[in-house]
Amino acid sequence: MSGTDASRRRFLAGTAAAAAGLAVAPGVLLMPLAQARRAGEPASSDVRWGLLVDTTRCSDGCDACVRACKEENGWEGVGRPKTDAQWIRKVKVRDPRTGHTQSLPLMCQHCKHPPCVDVCPTGASMKRADGIVLVDKHICIGCRYCMMACPYSARSFVHEDVRDQREHAPRGKGTVESCTLCVHRVDAGRVPACVEACAAEGGGALVFGDLKDPSSEISRRLAAHGAEEIRADLGLDTGVRYYGI
Amino acid sequence: MKPHVHFREIEGRSPGYYALLGLLGLLVGAGLVSALYMEIEGHWVTGMNNRIVWGTPHVFAVFLIVAASGALNVASIASVFGRLQYKPLAPLSGLLAIALLVGGLAVLVLDLGRPDRLIVAMTHYNFKSIFAWNIFLYTGFMAIVAAYLWTMMDRMGRPYSKPVGLLAFVWRLILTTGTGSIFGWLVARQAYDAAIMAPMFIVFSFAYGLAIFLLVLLAAYGWTGRPLGEGLLRRLKNLLGIFVAASLYFVTVYHLTNLYAAEHTGVERFILLEGGIYTALFWLGQVVAGYLLPMAIVFSPLGRSRGWIATAAGLVVLGGLAQMYVTIIGGQAYPLILFPGKEVSSSFFDGVVADYAPSLPEVLLGVGGIAIALLAVAVAVRVLRFLPEDLRDELVEAQAAAGGGDGSGTAGGERSGGAAPEAAAAPGSAG
Amino acid sequence: MRGVMAKTGRVLALLALVALGAMARPVAAEVPKPKLPPAKGEKCVEPTEVMRRKHMDYLLHQRDDTLRRGIRGGKYSLRECLECHVTAQAGQPLPTYGSPDHFCSACHQYAAVQIDCFSCHRDRPEQPAAGQARAPASGDGLTGPAIPVRTLKVLGPAEEKR
């Protein structure tokens, strides 16, 4: 069996599974969030991927999303916290006046107007048609201007040699990296690893979906309950929104 | 035959000259070895981390780039503003501008995560990025100043001196605007995001560039024993005092503006009061050493002494490095404000002042950049006619009165007979 | 005159080449060739001759399509190259880039051509460690929670009617 056949078969299997919807109750259809795009089809601007964080369901002690991301994308560090990469982190927010505390995950906010993309001299920082902000490590020169520009400290610089990367998450010394919204999963019709982990082990605080599709769960939740952007004052129109902050 | 300023290479045979070359060469070598070490090991061996992403090399690189555009001012004053007394200094001014820029860019490039991909920066452009614009501004600056030097130093180029000089002047203003805007346009950071960054950097560049120019001029004429007029020095040191005063003015306005906005009082409190090393560097380094002492020196009777002028210029350079450290590293050390009014904490050091301590390789790389610039100048004045062999005031004034010597053999493009004999038979003790 | 000389030159050069070729023939057999490790599949995505000359162009083109435009399922995937070409010798772990047993390094060391792929990309296929089922590398495997809970979609009245 040739490699091509194997890939095609795997790909078809994925598509078939993704296409299958399953009715679990009248009116409730258990169906995949998005269908895998067909081979050869580019990401479309008819879609804008977004993530809703329901902070009321996110607890301080839980880091399921962080662990899942580490595992999925292979960015386990070498024990040097200041230089090790962090694609996603849990942030504790406390109001000093009232003592009210909250916990929430912070990662690349996949802005509509990403400052990192604006400042990148080579165009390595880029936004895909479907709104996912990525680093094209093929042309990243490691100038770190994007890290200066990001309001969320969402990016990490790879400070040392990396080996045994995950197949779908290339990362290497001297380049900058950040959350990819698990673009490899999204393209295959699956949700990001953090979302999956939060549903399975965490509080089910993460909702992933198409912000442009008014019938998607994320759009409905946003329409019904609203949500905030972090540093909304900057007008970046982030793809990650937070409910309850 | 009327007297005129005559250009000649320095002799450059003394042990002092070779010692200078050796020392600079050593520093350049140490810088290159450091860069190689950082590239092979990765940047974890430096002081930088994911919070302080631009470290000591950037302090030196941005300082050199800013100083480079300022070093050109002496030439601009002559050809754009018609102050002909400065004309004999114009070639050195242009040379320093190119050399400092090369030194600064070398540091910047060698500190990249992937310096081996420099070619990518030359082939892929994102024109929304001020960095991409800077690539053109820097290379364009070098080309324009090279042409400018040609108009000064070659008889064929002389008719173009004025327009090319004007272009170089406008270009250097745009260039420093670009450098200041690298920070000024960073909307997310409390210490940046200010339109005043661009003009402030331009004024800084006037001071830093002139300070380095004065140091190099004094060293070159002191070590070669060539005569240098008091009047010329007086004008230059007064100009330095004015540039320093203007820098202080801009810094004051910048901080007052920030202090007025409640949103920015946090970062101001950090830099001005509670920032530890950054507060110390701001007050003692930038303000006292960089502004107050130099002004006190140049505007007092001390300013009559060459030693004190050199001290003032040296202090301006140190103050400039302190300013860059406070601006670049202090500006990053202060945490990003994610939730105004709230306290944040995380495994990624949110909400706390970031740690940074310069590492030896970073310092060596930065110093290596200065050494590259100075080495280039030392070699260039040895092989080309950048330096007038006699800068006595009478000579300079006479030539200025005669129209700056346009077309009369000012520049060293040709060697005319009957000039004063080489004053500096053997360069004196270098260093 | 010049034209004639140029022509003569060209003829001479051609003759020299032919002569050289004739001389080189017996030597050629002695020239060491890269020892390429065996591949898994029966045939590559393109004929071997084409791949030898063009693999870098294919990869370069597809990398931009994949990363920047999000086109998946292309014919020339680096992962598929490794899947097929980087194989383990009996009882050995998979070779890494830099080892002479690694398909890419075997030839690239021979040709003294440096490549940049593996400063970021994994240099060999990903295999689940013994006794540990890793999550699938990407959407292709779909093990694990294939249909995640969060994909529950509540139909609106309009959709329910349909």
Side-chain angles (χ1 to χ4, degrees):
Chain A
M1 186 194 75
S2 87
T4 336
D5 285 344
S7 106
R8 194 166 298 134
R9 222 186 45 192
R10 276 206 302 266
F11 185 80
L12 285 174
T15 318
L22 186 64
V24 289
V28 177
L29 186 66
L30 190 56
M31 66 172 293
L33 184 75
Q35 303 208 344
R37 278 198 313 282
R38 272 204 293 255
E41 205 178 297
S44 157
S45 58
D46 295 339
V47 174
R48 184 180 176 206
W49 295 118
L51 191 62
L52 173 64
V53 182
D54 181 348
T55 58
T56 59
R57 293 168 145 240
C58 182
S59 62
D60 188 19
C62 175
D63 66 345
C65 52
V66 179
R67 279 184 285 115
C69 181
K70 255 186 212 181
E71 168 75 10
E72 177 74 18
N73 295 301
W75 51 267
E76 183 71 60
V78 293
R80 287 191 278 264
K82 280 197 263 175
T83 51
D84 283 344
Q86 292 200 26
W87 290 20
I88 179 173
R89 60 188 189 269
K90 284 298 296 290
V91 175
K92 199 171 160 179
V93 185
R94 180 177 173 276
D95 189 332
R97 291 163 299 184
T98 59
H100 176 247
T101 59
Q102 280 174 308
S103 180
L104 49 87
L106 190 66
M107 72 299 274
C108 173
Q109 303 287 295
H110 298 280
C111 309
K112 188 176 180 187
H113 309 293
C116 56
V117 173
D118 288 346
V119 302
C120 176
T122 66
S125 268
M126 51 157 285
K127 188 172 59 127
R128 238 169 58 146
D130 55 6
I132 299 180
V133 175
L134 297 171
V135 181
D136 182 349
K137 293 177 188 96
H138 302 116
I139 57 170
C140 172
I141 58 174
C143 74
R144 320 188 287 274
Y145 198 15
C146 55
M147 299 176 74
M148 290 291 277
C150 178
Y152 309 100
S153 299
R155 288 199 163 175
S156 298
F157 178 72
V158 184
H159 282 71
E160 52 219 300
D161 269 322
V162 184
R163 298 204 57 81
D164 296 338
Q165 298 90 333
R166 299 303 307 270
E167 273 175 341
H168 52 271
R171 47 192 304 263
K173 180 179 72 183
T175 58
V176 172
E177 58 185 14
S178 58
C179 157
T180 64
L181 214 56
C182 280
V183 66
H184 56 285
R185 284 169 154 255
V186 172
D187 282 349
R190 301 177 69 208
V191 299
C194 55
V195 178
E196 207 169 271
C198 188
E201 307 168 42
L206 300 177
V207 183
F208 173 84
D210 179 6
L211 296 170
K212 285 190 177 170
D213 172 6
S215 68
S216 68
E217 191 195 351
I218 188 169
S219 297
R220 285 163 185 259
R221 296 262 301 252
L222 286 171
H225 309 293
E228 303 290 324
E229 296 175 31
I230 299 181
R231 294 279 338 241
D233 59 316
L234 296 174
L236 305 175
D237 189 351
T238 58
V240 180
R241 315 269 170 85
Y242 292 80
Y243 172 75
I245 56 169
Chain B
M1 167 141 205
K2 57 182 189 259
H4 59 252
V5 175
H6 189 77
F7 286 80
R8 179 164 291 175
E9 305 89 339
I10 66 163
E11 186 145 319
R13 285 181 213 283
S14 68
Y17 179 73
Y18 285 112
L20 179 68
L21 290 193
L23 175 70
L24 292 174
L26 213 64
L27 291 175
V28 172
L32 293 178
V33 169
S34 301
L36 197 65
Y37 171 66
M38 292 192 282
E39 199 202 338
I40 291 172
E41 286 292 320
H43 276 68
W44 76 273
V45 297
T46 71
M48 77 160 275
N49 50 59
N50 280 325
R51 277 284 312 278
I52 307 281
V53 299
W54 287 354
T56 308
H58 283 77
V59 170
F60 281 91
V62 178
F63 175 80
L64 284 168
I65 290 166
V66 168
S69 58
L72 191 68
N73 268 4
V74 175
S76 301
I77 294 169
S79 59
V80 179
F81 299 101
R83 300 291 300 272
L84 299 176
Q85 293 92 339
Y86 290 91
K87 198 152 177 112
L89 301 175
L92 177 64
S93 162
L95 170 65
L96 254 181
I98 294 184
L100 290 170
L101 188 61
V102 168
L105 289 181
V107 176
L108 207 59
V109 165
L110 289 172
D111 188 53
L112 290 177
R114 297 293 307 254
D116 52 318
R117 285 187 181 164
L118 184 59
I119 187 72
V120 172
M122 307 286 178
T123 49
H124 293 72
Y125 290 108
N126 164 30
F127 285 109
K128 211 176 169 188
S129 166
I130 188 71
F131 249 27
W133 279 98
N134 281 346
I135 293 168
F136 287 98
L137 291 174
Y138 297 155
T139 47
F141 182 77
M142 285 194 252
I144 290 169
V145 176
Y148 191 19
L149 283 173
W150 171 72
T151 69
M152 294 176 212
M153 299 174 71
D154 190 290
R155 187 192 283 272
M156 279 192 29
R158 227 163 273 159
Y160 309 105
S161 171
K162 241 195 147 82
V164 175
L166 184 64
L167 177 64
F169 179 67
V170 172
W171 197 274
R172 61 124 350 241
L173 291 180
I174 300 173
L175 185 147
T176 323
T177 302
T179 313
S181 301
I182 288 176
F183 302 97
W185 291 0
L186 288 177
V187 293
R189 299 214 176 237
Q190 301 295 309
Y192 309 144
D193 183 25
I196 200 176
M197 294 301 262
M200 187 163 73
F201 267 55
I202 290 178
V203 172
F204 287 166
S205 83
F206 289 172
Y208 305 161
L210 186 56
I212 294 179
F213 182 87
L214 263 168
L215 286 172
V216 170
L217 186 73
L218 284 167
Y221 280 75
W223 293 343
T224 56
R226 294 184 180 191
L228 179 62
E230 292 300 326
L232 195 71
L233 272 179
R234 195 179 59 244
R235 269 194 294 273
L236 288 174
K237 63 105 182 160
N238 283 340
L239 199 56
L240 182 66
I242 291 166
F243 289 161
V244 167
S247 300
L248 178 58
Y249 165 77
F250 269 86
V251 169
T252 309
V253 171
Y254 164 81
H255 284 292
L256 283 179
T257 309
N258 271 355
L259 282 168
Y260 206 81
E263 182 198 351
H264 289 122
T265 47
V267 71
E268 287 301 319
R269 174 180 288 277
F270 174 67
I271 297 289
L272 302 181
L273 285 178
E274 296 164 355
I277 179 72
Y278 306 105
T279 301
L281 276 174
F282 175 75
W283 288 111
L284 298 179
Q286 187 178 343
V287 175
V288 175
Y291 303 145
L292 301 182
L293 289 180
M295 280 198 288
I297 291 171
V298 301
F299 293 135
S300 75
L302 288 178
R304 290 191 203 118
S305 133
R306 288 183 187 205
W308 280 108
I309 294 178
T311 307
L315 283 169
V316 171
V317 170
L318 289 179
L321 287 168
Q323 174 267 314
M324 288 297 174
Y325 199 94
V326 173
T327 303
I328 297 177
I329 299 177
Q332 294 173 82
Y334 187 74
L336 286 164
I337 303 298
L338 292 169
F339 300 94
K342 306 274 179 74
E343 291 168 356
V344 293
S345 58
S346 79
S347 57
F348 210 50
F349 309 99
D350 286 299
V352 296
V353 172
D355 272 357
Y356 177 83
S359 65
L360 184 65
E362 289 171 286
V363 175
L364 288 178
L365 174 58
V367 173
I370 295 183
I372 287 173
L374 295 181
L375 187 63
V377 172
V379 171
V381 297
R382 165 82 172 75
V383 297
L384 288 170
R385 291 166 205 160
F386 279 103
L387 294 178
E389 58 187 8
D390 191 342
L391 275 177
R392 268 174 299 189
D393 289 336
E394 313 85 87
L395 216 57
V396 172
E397 290 297 340
Q399 174 147 315
D406 271 336
S408 71
T410 11
E414 85 259 44
R415 202 184 279 258
S416 60
E422 167 74 293
S429 56
Chain C
M1 184 65 198
R2 195 172 260 186
V4 175
M5 268 174 72
K7 242 180 215 166
T8 322
R10 239 176 282 156
V11 170
L12 277 177
L14 201 65
L15 280 174
L17 258 176
V18 170
L20 259 175
M23 280 183 348
R25 186 152 296 206
V27 183
E30 293 157 29
V31 170
K33 287 198 173 142
K35 277 194 209 107
L36 293 179
K40 261 192 220 156
E42 282 156 26
K43 67 183 179 60
C44 200
V45 289
E46 297 287 348
T48 307
E49 279 312 307
V50 178
M51 285 311 282
R52 274 191 191 147
R53 272 181 288 115
K54 296 205 136 175
H55 63 281
M56 64 301 254
D57 299 328
Y58 294 145
L59 285 171
L60 187 72
H61 181 67
Q62 185 163 318
R63 82 171 198 199
D64 288 341
D65 276 354
T66 306
L67 173 57
R68 302 189 75 93
R69 301 183 59 209
I71 297 174
R72 299 281 177 173
K75 192 175 177 187
Y76 310 107
S77 135
L78 180 63
R79 183 169 65 190
E80 295 303 334
C81 295
L82 300 177
E83 188 73 49
C84 199
H85 282 290
V86 179
T87 52
Q89 312 277 31
Q92 299 282 315
L94 285 172
T96 54
Y97 182 73
S99 135
D101 297 331
H102 188 281
F103 178 77
C104 306
S105 24
C107 206
H108 275 272
Q109 279 173 3
Y110 172 83
V113 175
Q114 203 185 340
I115 54 172
D116 199 14
C117 310
F118 302 113
S119 56
C120 287
H121 282 279
R122 185 185 180 86
D123 55 5
R124 57 199 193 283
E126 208 167 300
Q127 291 175 316
Q132 183 208 350
R134 283 191 107 170
S138 63
D140 2 340
L142 280 190
T143 57
I147 301 167
V149 181
R150 297 311 321 168
T151 60
L152 267 177
K153 181 175 176 181
V154 183
L155 295 185
E159 283 163 293
E160 229 170 318
K161 269 184 211 145
R162 277 191 274 141

